[in-house]
């Protein structure tokens, strides 16, 4: 892989939420990491579901990007995504969302994701359909 394998502060969403995108695993799977703090919780003190979905979407999209280009920087768009919430995460938890390509071809990728805390407990899963953008759309 060329370039920096850890992406920080690249987008407004990333700067606002404070997550890091890690493309360095060498296994074709991207990881989105976040330490939960008070900015991320809902009124019940648990990690907000929208942030769960955001982390999974980022990990899954970047995993799809790695399947197209080993830099992990190829733009992908999410066509659909279903998120299943399994257990809560709380302030102080260190979370990692990971993607895994399960199928597709040149124009569409099917990608699964899971979000786990630092103790390995499953917080959420997701399935999604992603589309790599063409080179013409990148320029």
């Amino acid at each position: 892989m060329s370039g920096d394998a850890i992406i920080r502060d690249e987008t407004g969403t990333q700067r606002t939420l404070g997550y890091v995108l890690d493309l360095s695993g060498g296994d074709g799977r991207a990881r989105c990491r976040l330490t939960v703090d008070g900015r991320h919780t809902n009124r019940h003190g648990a990690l907000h579901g929208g942030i769960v979905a955001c982390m999974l979407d980022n990990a899954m999209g970047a995993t799809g990007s790695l399947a197209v280009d080993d830099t992990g920087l190829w733009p992908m768009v999410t066509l659909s995504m279903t998120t299943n919430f399994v257990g809560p995460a709380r302030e102080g938890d260190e979370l990692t969302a990971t993607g895994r390509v399960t199928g597709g071809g040149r124009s569409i990728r099917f990608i699964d994701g899971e979000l786990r805390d630092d103790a390995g407990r499953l917080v959420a899963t997701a399935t999604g359909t992603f589309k790599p953008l063409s080179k013409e759309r990148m320029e």
Side-chain angles (χ1 to χ4, degrees), residues 3-136:
D4 191 3
I6 305 293
I7 299 173
R8 299 175 195 279
D9 299 326
E10 181 181 54
T11 67
T13 303
Q14 194 176 24
R15 286 186 297 275
T16 298
L17 297 179
Y19 65 83
V20 174
L21 194 57
D22 183 353
L23 308 173
S24 67
D27 58 0
R29 296 179 181 195
R31 289 157 180 84
C32 183
R33 302 183 197 279
L34 174 76
T35 301
V36 179
D37 66 32
R39 298 174 296 162
H40 307 122
T41 57
N42 60 23
R43 66 177 66 178
H44 311 293
L47 178 64
H48 191 284
I51 295 174
V52 168
C54 179
M55 290 184 68
L56 286 161
D57 184 48
N58 274 280
M60 293 161 62
T63 295
S65 182
L66 283 168
V68 175
D69 175 47
D70 70 353
T71 67
L73 300 177
W74 195 277
M76 302 288 285
V77 293
T78 309
L79 299 178
S80 69
M81 189 174 110
T82 301
T83 306
N84 301 294
F85 301 94
V86 178
R90 305 262 180 221
E91 194 166 338
D93 287 348
E94 294 180 22
L95 304 177
T96 302
T98 306
R100 180 176 60 91
V101 175
T102 59
R106 285 186 313 141
S107 62
I108 300 289
R109 302 270 191 232
F110 302 107
I111 304 171
D112 286 349
E114 64 177 32
L115 178 65
R116 292 186 178 270
D117 68 14
D118 51 338
R121 289 183 294 260
L122 188 62
V123 174
T125 63
T127 57
T129 307
F130 294 78
K131 180 177 181 58
L133 294 180
S134 66
K135 282 191 175 188
E136 294 81 35

